[in-house]
Structures are given as structure tokens and as C-alpha cells.
Amino acid sequence: MNITSGTVFIPGATSGIGLGLALRLQATGSTVIVGGRRTELLQQIAAQHPGIDTVEIDTTDPASIAAAQADLAQRHPALDALVTMAGIMEPEDLRDPASLDVAERTIAVNLLGPIRLVNAFLPGLLAQPTATVMTVSSGLAYVPLAATPTYNATKAAIHSFSESLRVQLTKSNVQVIELVPPATRTTLMGQQNSDVAMPLEEFLTEVMDLLRTQPDAEQILVERVKWQRNAEAEGRYQDVLNVLSARYRD
């Protein structure tokens, strides 16, 4: 991934990891476009961070994705990277019929959204000399958290989708990278003050170091996520599942 002179679109980057990554990429020399649903928040980001461009997009709406793609094709014809950051994480009690609403909403944002984004932006990326699609899964794609069953499932699906996309693009100019965050101190699930979550700035620093030193990496794995990512291969799956289950019960 070109982190010093590329043009990167990050839908879902109005806060947390997405906004942090946008600012880090801008600092290294990239042109960065932040996407989000709220016009006033996008205007605030543009005012606070000169040089960051913005576009309104709702990744649950195919028409909104198509409009954003057409807009960016005109304003940023050199766009060569897509980071499918938009996502939600909500607890579900599967014994409660109302949990179906959470599940459907999570699938629409976390799975259909990235698939639609890739479908819309891939033709333009294929037209560039080199390009990148970065998907965003989670450590919970590999060992689930009982409190968020559909979130876990969508992130496992994103991992699988990324693997297939990478194989299909093997002979193309497009690199596919899967970013695999651990629990990170953001407002997602109210983890901003969590003792078990990784500090956001530490996470971002390690991600940028990995992108710089491992330009051909298929996955970006900070040290704090490897206990989940590698649990099954290392024969620790049940132990890790027990730890996460204890957090759920607590």
C-alpha cells in the first residue's frame, strides 16, 4: 500500500480507528478522503484538519455508494486505495426476538456495505497503475465474543471475502490487505476507557509501522491481536474462548 503519495478513500472514518488512520495517512503524504453520513460532522472534520477532503456516503444505501463513487471519480481521478472502515458493533441477546433487528442492521453495515463498496470502486482501482483494497475484520473473526454474535460473524465473513478477493485479483494491480484490530479504545461498544482494550494511538502507530515495513503484507496484525488470530493454529482456541466468555459473563 502506498502510504506516502497515494489517494485514499476511507468511508466510516468520522471517528475512532477510521479518523485516526486518515490523519496518520495524511501526515505521511497521502491525499485522504473521509466518508460519512452526517454532513455537519464531515464539515467539522474538514475545518479541523485542513487538507482532508470529505464525501457524504451511507454504506447501507447502494444509491449513496454509487453517488459517492461518481463524485470521487471526478474530483479524485487518481484514487488508488479504498479502506472499508464503516462498521457497527452492538450487543445481542439471541433469546430476545428484538435481536433480529440488531443482526440485520449489523449485516447491512458490516458485510453488505464493504461488498458494495468493493463492487463500486474496484473498476476504478483496476484502472490505476497500482492500487489497494483494505478490508477491516477483527480479532473476533477468529475467536468470538458471546455478547456480539452477528458482529463476530460479519467479521469472519469479511476475512473470508478478503481471502477470495485476493485470489481473484492475484494477477491484477490491486493489493488486498486485511486490517485485523484487537479491542481498541474507541467508542465502539463503549471501550474508550476499557483496561483490556489497546490504546488507540498505540494501535495506530503500530499499524503505520507495519504498513511501512511490510508493504506486501496480506494482513496487518498488531501484537495485541495475535493471541486471537493465532489461537486455533496454536491449539489455544478454547482457552481464548474461555477468556472472552468470562468477559461476557462479567
Side-chain angles (χ1 to χ4, degrees):
M1 181 177 180
N2 180 1
I3 64 171
T4 59
S5 59
T7 301
V8 187
F9 176 41
I10 314 179
T14 54
S15 64
I17 291 174
L19 181 57
L21 185 61
L23 298 178
R24 294 296 185 103
L25 287 168
Q26 183 195 34
T28 63
S30 295
T31 298
V32 181
I33 308 101
V34 165
R37 293 181 299 169
R38 293 169 52 194
T39 302
E40 64 276 14
L41 183 54
L42 294 173
Q43 291 172 341
Q44 179 181 338
I45 290 169
Q48 292 177 346
H49 306 288
I52 292 282
D53 198 0
T54 63
V55 65
E56 191 169 337
I57 185 171
D58 179 353
T59 62
T60 67
D61 181 355
S64 178
I65 292 174
Q69 187 279 325
D71 180 15
L72 294 182
Q74 292 294 318
R75 293 195 290 123
H76 294 282
L79 194 152
D80 59 2
L82 169 69
V83 181
T84 62
M85 183 63 65
I88 61 172
M89 184 179 189
E90 300 180 39
E92 300 165 75
D93 182 346
L94 299 180
R95 299 162 296 187
D96 181 354
S99 68
L100 183 60
D101 290 339
V102 176
E104 292 179 346
R105 184 165 57 248
T106 303
I107 290 168
V109 176
N110 293 6
L111 183 55
L112 288 178
I115 291 172
R116 287 168 173 158
L117 285 164
V118 170
N119 181 267
F121 283 87
L122 188 56
L125 296 174
L126 287 166
Q128 300 294 339
T130 59
T132 303
V133 171
M134 177 183 286
T135 59
V136 183
S137 65
S138 167
L140 298 177
Y142 299 93
V143 185
L145 177 67
T148 56
T150 303
Y151 177 87
N152 309 330
T154 58
K155 293 304 183 177
I158 287 296
H159 165 65
S160 181
F161 178 77
S162 303
E163 295 281 284
S164 298
L165 179 64
R166 184 180 300 112
V167 171
Q168 291 196 15
L169 296 178
T170 296
K171 296 183 180 180
S172 79
N173 60 315
V174 179
Q175 178 187 17
V176 178
I177 305 173
E178 178 189 348
L179 176 62
V180 189
T184 306
R185 290 181 193 172
T186 71
T187 56
L188 198 69
M189 286 284 286
Q191 297 179 107
Q192 60 268 34
N193 298 311
S194 171
D195 291 337
V196 300
M198 184 175 186
L200 176 59
E201 293 303 317
E202 290 183 18
F203 171 74
L204 294 169
T205 295
E206 193 170 347
V207 166
M208 293 302 295
D209 286 345
L210 290 169
L211 289 172
R212 177 176 53 82
T213 60
Q214 300 181 21
D216 297 325
E218 295 183 352
Q219 291 188 316
I220 298 299
L221 301 167
V222 300
E223 289 299 319
R224 287 277 290 268
V225 82
K226 290 181 179 178
W227 74 296
Q228 288 173 280
R229 171 63 182 90
N230 301 326
E232 186 167 5
E234 296 174 355
R236 297 181 295 101
Y237 182 91
Q238 191 60 51
D239 291 339
V240 175
L241 182 63
N242 289 343
V243 170
L244 294 175
S245 296
R247 291 179 186 173
Y248 169 66
R249 289 193 294 269
D250 292 342

Short mmCIF file of all heavy atoms in Angstrom, two decimals, residues 1-41:
data_model
loop_
_atom_site.label_atom_id
_atom_site.label_comp_id
_atom_site.label_asym_id
_atom_site.label_seq_id
_atom_site.Cartn_x
_atom_site.Cartn_y
_atom_site.Cartn_z
N MET A 1 0.85 -1.19 0.00
CA MET A 1 0.00 0.00 0.00
C MET A 1 0.88 1.24 0.00
O MET A 1 1.83 1.34 0.79
CB MET A 1 -0.93 0.01 1.22
CG MET A 1 -1.86 1.21 1.28
SD MET A 1 -2.97 1.11 2.70
CE MET A 1 -3.91 2.62 2.50
N ASN A 2 0.57 2.18 -0.86
CA ASN A 2 1.31 3.42 -0.93
C ASN A 2 0.81 4.35 0.19
O ASN A 2 -0.30 4.87 0.12
CB ASN A 2 1.09 4.07 -2.30
CG ASN A 2 1.83 5.39 -2.44
OD1 ASN A 2 2.52 5.83 -1.52
ND2 ASN A 2 1.69 6.01 -3.59
N ILE A 3 1.63 4.56 1.22
CA ILE A 3 1.20 5.38 2.35
C ILE A 3 1.81 6.78 2.31
O ILE A 3 1.57 7.58 3.22
CB ILE A 3 1.52 4.71 3.70
CG1 ILE A 3 3.03 4.57 3.90
CG2 ILE A 3 0.81 3.37 3.82
CD1 ILE A 3 3.42 4.11 5.30
N THR A 4 2.58 7.08 1.27
CA THR A 4 3.26 8.38 1.24
C THR A 4 2.76 9.30 0.13
O THR A 4 2.94 10.52 0.23
CB THR A 4 4.77 8.20 1.07
OG1 THR A 4 5.03 7.48 -0.15
CG2 THR A 4 5.36 7.44 2.25
N SER A 5 2.16 8.75 -0.90
CA SER A 5 1.72 9.63 -2.00
C SER A 5 0.46 9.12 -2.69
O SER A 5 0.17 9.52 -3.81
CB SER A 5 2.84 9.79 -3.03
OG SER A 5 3.22 8.53 -3.57
N GLY A 6 -0.28 8.25 -2.01
CA GLY A 6 -1.50 7.71 -2.60
C GLY A 6 -2.69 8.61 -2.35
O GLY A 6 -2.62 9.65 -1.68
N THR A 7 -3.82 8.21 -2.93
CA THR A 7 -5.10 8.89 -2.70
C THR A 7 -6.05 7.86 -2.12
O THR A 7 -6.41 6.89 -2.79
CB THR A 7 -5.66 9.47 -4.01
OG1 THR A 7 -4.72 10.39 -4.56
CG2 THR A 7 -6.98 10.19 -3.75
N VAL A 8 -6.43 8.05 -0.87
CA VAL A 8 -7.10 7.02 -0.09
C VAL A 8 -8.51 7.47 0.29
O VAL A 8 -8.69 8.57 0.84
CB VAL A 8 -6.31 6.70 1.20
CG1 VAL A 8 -6.94 5.51 1.93
CG2 VAL A 8 -4.84 6.44 0.90
N PHE A 9 -9.49 6.63 0.04
CA PHE A 9 -10.87 6.88 0.47
C PHE A 9 -11.19 5.96 1.63
O PHE A 9 -11.06 4.74 1.53
CB PHE A 9 -11.84 6.65 -0.68
CG PHE A 9 -13.29 6.80 -0.29
CD1 PHE A 9 -13.72 7.81 0.56
CD2 PHE A 9 -14.25 5.92 -0.81
CE1 PHE A 9 -15.06 7.95 0.91
CE2 PHE A 9 -15.58 6.05 -0.47
CZ PHE A 9 -15.99 7.06 0.39
N ILE A 10 -11.66 6.57 2.75
CA ILE A 10 -11.99 5.79 3.94
C ILE A 10 -13.42 6.10 4.35
O ILE A 10 -13.67 7.03 5.13
CB ILE A 10 -11.03 6.08 5.11
CG1 ILE A 10 -9.58 6.09 4.65
CG2 ILE A 10 -11.23 5.05 6.22
CD1 ILE A 10 -8.59 6.39 5.75
N PRO A 11 -14.40 5.37 3.84
CA PRO A 11 -15.77 5.54 4.34
C PRO A 11 -15.87 4.99 5.76
O PRO A 11 -15.32 3.94 6.07
CB PRO A 11 -16.61 4.72 3.36
CG PRO A 11 -15.66 3.74 2.75
CD PRO A 11 -14.31 4.37 2.77
N GLY A 12 -16.57 5.74 6.63
CA GLY A 12 -16.68 5.33 8.02
C GLY A 12 -15.51 5.83 8.84
O GLY A 12 -15.13 5.18 9.82
N ALA A 13 -14.95 6.98 8.47
CA ALA A 13 -13.75 7.48 9.15
C ALA A 13 -14.02 8.78 9.88
O ALA A 13 -13.14 9.63 10.00
CB ALA A 13 -12.62 7.67 8.14
N THR A 14 -15.22 8.95 10.42
CA THR A 14 -15.54 10.19 11.13
C THR A 14 -15.16 10.14 12.60
O THR A 14 -15.31 11.14 13.31
CB THR A 14 -17.03 10.52 10.98
OG1 THR A 14 -17.81 9.40 11.42
CG2 THR A 14 -17.38 10.84 9.53
N SER A 15 -14.67 9.00 13.06
CA SER A 15 -14.24 8.87 14.45
C SER A 15 -13.38 7.62 14.59
O SER A 15 -13.22 6.85 13.64
CB SER A 15 -15.45 8.78 15.40
OG SER A 15 -16.20 7.60 15.14
N GLY A 16 -12.84 7.42 15.78
CA GLY A 16 -12.17 6.18 16.12
C GLY A 16 -11.00 5.80 15.22
O GLY A 16 -10.21 6.64 14.79
N ILE A 17 -10.90 4.50 14.94
CA ILE A 17 -9.80 4.00 14.13
C ILE A 17 -9.79 4.65 12.75
O ILE A 17 -8.73 5.01 12.22
CB ILE A 17 -9.88 2.47 14.00
CG1 ILE A 17 -9.58 1.80 15.35
CG2 ILE A 17 -8.90 1.95 12.95
CD1 ILE A 17 -9.80 0.30 15.36
N GLY A 18 -10.95 4.82 12.15
CA GLY A 18 -11.02 5.37 10.80
C GLY A 18 -10.45 6.77 10.71
O GLY A 18 -9.60 7.06 9.85
N LEU A 19 -10.88 7.65 11.60
CA LEU A 19 -10.37 9.02 11.58
C LEU A 19 -8.89 9.04 11.95
O LEU A 19 -8.10 9.78 11.33
CB LEU A 19 -11.17 9.89 12.53
CG LEU A 19 -10.76 11.37 12.60
CD1 LEU A 19 -10.83 12.02 11.23
CD2 LEU A 19 -11.62 12.12 13.60
N GLY A 20 -8.51 8.25 12.92
CA GLY A 20 -7.10 8.19 13.31
C GLY A 20 -6.22 7.74 12.16
O GLY A 20 -5.15 8.32 11.91
N LEU A 21 -6.66 6.72 11.44
CA LEU A 21 -5.88 6.24 10.29
C LEU A 21 -5.83 7.30 9.20
O LEU A 21 -4.79 7.50 8.55
CB LEU A 21 -6.49 4.95 9.76
CG LEU A 21 -5.74 4.25 8.63
CD1 LEU A 21 -4.34 3.85 9.08
CD2 LEU A 21 -6.52 3.02 8.15
N ALA A 22 -6.94 7.99 8.98
CA ALA A 22 -6.98 9.06 7.97
C ALA A 22 -5.94 10.12 8.28
O ALA A 22 -5.19 10.56 7.39
CB ALA A 22 -8.38 9.67 7.91
N LEU A 23 -5.86 10.54 9.53
CA LEU A 23 -4.91 11.58 9.92
C LEU A 23 -3.47 11.09 9.82
O LEU A 23 -2.57 11.84 9.40
CB LEU A 23 -5.22 12.07 11.33
CG LEU A 23 -6.59 12.73 11.51
CD1 LEU A 23 -6.80 13.13 12.96
CD2 LEU A 23 -6.75 13.93 10.59
N ARG A 24 -3.23 9.83 10.19
CA ARG A 24 -1.87 9.28 10.07
C ARG A 24 -1.45 9.20 8.60
O ARG A 24 -0.31 9.52 8.25
CB ARG A 24 -1.81 7.90 10.71
CG ARG A 24 -2.00 7.87 12.22
CD ARG A 24 -0.89 8.61 12.96
NE ARG A 24 -1.02 8.47 14.40
CZ ARG A 24 -0.28 7.66 15.16
NH1 ARG A 24 0.65 6.90 14.61
NH2 ARG A 24 -0.46 7.61 16.47
N LEU A 25 -2.35 8.77 7.73
CA LEU A 25 -2.02 8.68 6.31
C LEU A 25 -1.79 10.06 5.71
O LEU A 25 -0.89 10.26 4.89
CB LEU A 25 -3.12 7.94 5.56
CG LEU A 25 -3.19 6.43 5.81
CD1 LEU A 25 -4.49 5.86 5.25
CD2 LEU A 25 -2.00 5.72 5.18
N GLN A 26 -2.60 11.03 6.11
CA GLN A 26 -2.38 12.39 5.63
C GLN A 26 -1.00 12.89 6.07
O GLN A 26 -0.28 13.53 5.29
CB GLN A 26 -3.46 13.33 6.15
CG GLN A 26 -3.33 14.75 5.62
CD GLN A 26 -4.14 15.76 6.39
OE1 GLN A 26 -4.31 15.63 7.60
NE2 GLN A 26 -4.68 16.76 5.71
N ALA A 27 -0.62 12.57 7.29
CA ALA A 27 0.67 13.04 7.81
C ALA A 27 1.85 12.45 7.06
O ALA A 27 2.93 13.06 7.01
CB ALA A 27 0.77 12.70 9.30
N THR A 28 1.67 11.28 6.47
CA THR A 28 2.76 10.66 5.71
C THR A 28 2.80 11.13 4.26
O THR A 28 3.70 10.74 3.51
CB THR A 28 2.67 9.13 5.72
OG1 THR A 28 1.46 8.72 5.07
CG2 THR A 28 2.70 8.59 7.14
N GLY A 29 1.83 11.93 3.83
CA GLY A 29 1.84 12.48 2.48
C GLY A 29 0.71 12.04 1.59
O GLY A 29 0.62 12.49 0.44
N SER A 30 -0.18 11.20 2.08
CA SER A 30 -1.29 10.73 1.26
C SER A 30 -2.39 11.80 1.17
O SER A 30 -2.57 12.60 2.08
CB SER A 30 -1.91 9.45 1.84
OG SER A 30 -1.00 8.38 1.79
N THR A 31 -3.10 11.78 0.05
CA THR A 31 -4.35 12.53 -0.07
C THR A 31 -5.45 11.65 0.49
O THR A 31 -5.59 10.49 0.09
CB THR A 31 -4.65 12.86 -1.54
OG1 THR A 31 -3.59 13.69 -2.05
CG2 THR A 31 -5.97 13.59 -1.68
N VAL A 32 -6.24 12.18 1.43
CA VAL A 32 -7.21 11.35 2.15
C VAL A 32 -8.60 11.95 2.03
O VAL A 32 -8.79 13.15 2.22
CB VAL A 32 -6.83 11.20 3.63
CG1 VAL A 32 -7.85 10.31 4.36
CG2 VAL A 32 -5.43 10.62 3.77
N ILE A 33 -9.56 11.10 1.70
CA ILE A 33 -10.97 11.48 1.66
C ILE A 33 -11.71 10.67 2.73
O ILE A 33 -11.66 9.43 2.72
CB ILE A 33 -11.62 11.22 0.29
CG1 ILE A 33 -10.80 11.86 -0.83
CG2 ILE A 33 -13.05 11.73 0.28
CD1 ILE A 33 -9.92 10.87 -1.58
N VAL A 34 -12.36 11.37 3.64
CA VAL A 34 -13.15 10.75 4.70
C VAL A 34 -14.61 10.70 4.26
O VAL A 34 -15.15 11.70 3.78
CB VAL A 34 -13.01 11.54 6.01
CG1 VAL A 34 -14.09 11.13 7.01
CG2 VAL A 34 -11.63 11.34 6.60
N GLY A 35 -15.23 9.56 4.41
CA GLY A 35 -16.64 9.40 4.09
C GLY A 35 -17.48 9.18 5.33
O GLY A 35 -17.06 8.52 6.27
N GLY A 36 -18.70 9.74 5.32
CA GLY A 36 -19.61 9.54 6.44
C GLY A 36 -21.00 9.99 6.08
O GLY A 36 -21.23 10.58 5.02
N ARG A 37 -21.95 9.74 6.97
CA ARG A 37 -23.35 10.05 6.68
C ARG A 37 -23.75 11.46 7.06
O ARG A 37 -24.66 12.02 6.46
CB ARG A 37 -24.26 9.06 7.42
CG ARG A 37 -24.17 7.62 6.94
CD ARG A 37 -25.11 6.74 7.72
NE ARG A 37 -24.79 6.73 9.14
CZ ARG A 37 -25.57 6.22 10.09
NH1 ARG A 37 -26.75 5.71 9.76
NH2 ARG A 37 -25.20 6.23 11.35
N ARG A 38 -23.09 12.05 8.06
CA ARG A 38 -23.54 13.32 8.64
C ARG A 38 -22.76 14.49 8.04
O ARG A 38 -21.56 14.64 8.27
CB ARG A 38 -23.39 13.29 10.15
CG ARG A 38 -24.31 12.29 10.82
CD ARG A 38 -23.95 12.11 12.28
NE ARG A 38 -23.87 13.40 12.98
CZ ARG A 38 -23.31 13.54 14.19
NH1 ARG A 38 -22.81 12.47 14.81
NH2 ARG A 38 -23.26 14.72 14.76
N THR A 39 -23.46 15.33 7.29
CA THR A 39 -22.82 16.46 6.63
C THR A 39 -22.13 17.38 7.61
O THR A 39 -20.99 17.82 7.38
CB THR A 39 -23.87 17.26 5.82
OG1 THR A 39 -24.49 16.40 4.87
CG2 THR A 39 -23.22 18.42 5.09
N GLU A 40 -22.79 17.69 8.73
CA GLU A 40 -22.21 18.62 9.69
C GLU A 40 -20.93 18.08 10.31
O GLU A 40 -19.97 18.82 10.57
CB GLU A 40 -23.22 18.99 10.78
CG GLU A 40 -23.67 17.85 11.69
CD GLU A 40 -24.80 17.00 11.13
OE1 GLU A 40 -25.10 17.10 9.92
OE2 GLU A 40 -25.41 16.23 11.91
N LEU A 41 -20.88 16.77 10.55
CA LEU A 41 -19.67 16.17 11.11
C LEU A 41 -18.54 16.18 10.09
O LEU A 41 -17.37 16.46 10.43
CB LEU A 41 -19.96 14.74 11.57
CG LEU A 41 -18.81 13.98 12.24
CD1 LEU A 41 -18.24 14.79 13.42
CD2 LEU A 41 -19.28 12.62 12.72
#
